[in-house]
């Protein structure tokens, strides 16, 4: 079905486009003007002429893509461009993440990017924004995905670390270097032992600290003593598993922190000792909560488990549809779910017309 001619956001080959404002939101091909919801690689690309993002995300954007023509807005502060009123509102996903509110001739659309409704000490919490049309992700858009309380997950991580430290072995946590790594760090009990991070994590930690986010003190592996290597907790990207870098820690126990760890067999396929279910995306109840809070009669789904959510919303009387996008192709999804034939039925790529995260 063709979208209405007066839609504020339409899908083009370059990305999601606002016709009256003549700008794009999280475009995946180079454009003149790009509004960015957050700095993960599937939403922030290099090569655009001008960038506009939330002020809270300034340092992570520059850390990710280097010097660019960047303008920022504080959360909630409006900017009018060609008659379209634009504002950024917290999405609760990672530092600087934002929902983008568009208002034009009495109509209000909200493009949410990626979001979660649960707590996170490293970023502003999700803020519901009322609108006529809500554009949502659906990364974990199946009823099976329901997160435990954050404190319970952090307590489990700290207990595992303490047991390993008492046994004289390092604890390695594989976590996406931007967002997930910092959230894990913020939840650690640093009294247990030293904390070591991979260089990719350290780079993003610097951007977080420059933005005023409190993180525990960390070390480079080369700074650690032999005794510290036997008691430390290490936060490192999933891509380092099996590398010479991780072999420096000798006898260690390892774990993977991801929402995908809730899938049956995911920990076994990753060949890790523990799987901690910790996601920076909304679970199924969180998605429904955010959609209901928007009070939007029309919902458009961009990526993840697209078809199940579209069908569910339609059955409950909402006008629902989907945009074909290139979102969702991030490191965490690829690393956590690669080669998972037994969960093909729960694979976003198999249920969402090729959209995956």
């Amino acid at each position: 079905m063709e979208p209405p001619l007066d839609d504020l956001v339409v899908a083009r080959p370059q990305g999601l486009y606002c016709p009256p404002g003549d700008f794009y939101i999280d475009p995946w091909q180079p454009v003149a003007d790009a509004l960015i919801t957050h700095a993960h690689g599937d939403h922030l690309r290099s090569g655009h002429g001008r960038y506009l993002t939330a002020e809270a995300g300034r340092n992570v954007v520059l850390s990710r893509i280097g010097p660019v023509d960047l303008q920022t807005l504080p959360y909630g502060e409006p900017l009018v461009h060609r008659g379209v009123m634009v504002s950024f509102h917290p999405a609760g996903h990672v530092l600087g993440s934002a929902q983008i509110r568009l208002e034009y001739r009495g109509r209000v659309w909200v493009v949410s990017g990626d979001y979660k409704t649960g707590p996170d000490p490293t970023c502003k919490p999700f803020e519901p924004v009322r609108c006529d049309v809500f554009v949502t992700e659906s990364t974990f858009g199946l009823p099976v995905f329901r997160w435990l309380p954050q404190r319970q997950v952090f307590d489990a991580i700290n207990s595992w670390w303490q047991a390993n430290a008492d046994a004289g072995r390092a604890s390695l946590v594989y976590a996406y270097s931007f967002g997930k790594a910092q959230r894990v760090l913020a939840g650690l009990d640093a009294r247990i032992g030293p904390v070591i991070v991979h260089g990719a994590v350290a780079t993003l930690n610097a951007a977080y600290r420059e933005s005023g986010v409190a993180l525990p003190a960390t070390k480079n592996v080369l700074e650690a003593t032999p005794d510290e290597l036997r008691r430390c907790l290490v936060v490192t990207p999933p891509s380092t598993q099996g590398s010479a870098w991780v072999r420096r820690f000798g006898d260690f126990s390892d774990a993977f922190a991801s929402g995908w760890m809730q899938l049956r067999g995911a920990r076994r396929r990753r060949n890790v000792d523990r799987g901690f279910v910790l996601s920076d995306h909304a679970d199924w109840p969180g998605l429904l909560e955010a959609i209901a809070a928007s009070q939007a009669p029309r919902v458009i789904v961009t990526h993840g488990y697209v078809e199940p959510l579209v069908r569910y919303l339609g059955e409950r009387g909402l006008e629902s549809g989907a945009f074909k996008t290139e979102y969702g192709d991030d490191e965490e999804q690829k690393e956590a779910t690669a080669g998972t034939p037994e969960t093909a039925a729960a694979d976003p790529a198999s249920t969402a017309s090729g959209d995956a995260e």
Side-chain angles (χ1 to χ4, degrees):
M1 182 175 65
E2 290 295 321
L5 294 177
D6 61 350
D7 273 3
L8 286 189
V9 179
V10 297
R12 283 190 170 182
Q14 300 94 327
L16 301 184
Y17 178 66
C18 176
D22 191 26
F23 55 75
Y24 288 82
I25 297 174
D26 294 349
W28 45 84
Q29 293 182 15
V31 300
D33 292 286
L35 276 61
I36 303 299
T37 63
H38 67 286
H40 276 143
D42 54 329
H43 292 259
L44 172 67
R45 312 284 179 103
S46 59
H48 306 313
R50 291 172 294 275
Y51 293 76
L52 177 66
T53 196
E55 172 61 30
R58 173 187 294 274
N59 291 326
V60 289
V61 167
L62 295 176
S63 175
R64 301 283 277 176
I65 61 172
V68 292
D69 185 349
L70 175 65
Q71 181 181 355
T72 62
L73 277 178
Y75 286 130
E77 182 174 305
L79 178 151
V80 178
H81 178 73
R82 295 186 59 180
V84 179
M85 182 180 293
V86 175
S87 55
F88 291 79
H89 303 265
H93 176 55
V94 292
L95 178 62
S97 61
Q99 305 168 81
I100 299 179
R101 182 185 185 274
L102 310 175
E103 182 174 353
Y104 182 71
R105 294 182 179 176
R107 293 170 293 143
V108 177
W109 285 51
V110 170
V111 180
S112 62
D114 290 335
Y115 63 90
K116 68 175 177 288
T117 56
D120 184 337
T122 68
C123 65
K124 292 283 188 181
F126 178 88
E127 175 185 294
V129 183
R130 293 182 60 178
C131 55
D132 301 303
V133 183
F134 186 58
V135 182
T136 180
E137 64 147 311
S138 188
T139 302
F140 290 104
L142 288 177
V144 68
F145 293 111
R146 297 171 185 268
W147 310 144
L148 293 172
Q150 176 179 254
R151 187 67 265 163
Q152 188 172 337
V153 178
F154 287 155
D155 286 347
I157 293 173
N158 286 318
S159 294
W160 168 74
W161 177 19
Q162 182 69 71
N164 289 331
D166 290 345
R169 72 172 67 91
S171 303
L172 271 66
V173 178
Y174 300 110
Y176 191 44
S177 59
F178 169 38
K180 183 66 60 61
Q182 291 73 36
R183 188 176 175 200
V184 168
L185 288 168
L188 295 179
D189 180 356
R191 295 170 299 179
I192 296 173
V195 180
I196 295 174
V197 297
H198 186 272
V201 175
T203 297
L204 271 301
N205 285 356
Y208 268 65
R209 291 188 175 104
E210 289 169 8
S211 302
V213 177
L215 296 174
T218 62
K219 288 189 172 187
N220 180 295
V221 64
L222 298 178
E223 300 171 336
T225 66
D227 179 63
E228 288 176 325
L229 292 178
R230 289 189 291 269
R231 297 182 297 108
C232 67
L233 183 134
V234 183
V235 181
T236 184
S239 58
T240 63
Q241 187 176 13
S243 70
W245 192 86
V246 301
R247 289 197 291 272
R248 299 179 186 207
F249 297 95
D251 178 27
F252 62 81
S253 178
D254 59 0
F256 198 97
S258 170
W260 299 107
M261 290 296 103
Q262 191 159 329
L263 290 179
R264 178 171 55 88
R267 187 187 75 182
R268 183 181 68 253
R269 286 186 298 276
R270 284 297 313 179
N271 193 29
V272 292
D273 299 321
R274 291 290 299 271
F276 296 109
V277 181
L278 186 68
S279 178
D280 288 326
H281 296 268
D283 60 2
W284 176 254
L287 290 169
L288 301 185
E289 174 190 350
I291 292 167
S294 75
Q295 299 186 31
R298 181 181 174 196
V299 179
I300 302 174
V301 185
T302 57
H303 62 288
Y305 292 100
V306 174
E307 291 175 5
L309 183 59
V310 169
R311 183 171 58 252
Y312 180 90
L313 297 175
E315 290 171 349
R316 280 147 184 81
L318 295 179
E319 182 183 353
S320 56
F323 281 143
K324 176 71 174 178
T325 72
E326 295 188 10
Y327 307 140
D329 187 21
D330 74 17
E331 177 182 334
E332 180 176 337
Q333 157 68 9
K334 291 185 290 186
E335 292 281 354
T337 62
T340 58
E342 69 188 78
T343 56
D347 184 346
S350 69
T351 60
S353 303
D355 298 328
E357 175 165 316

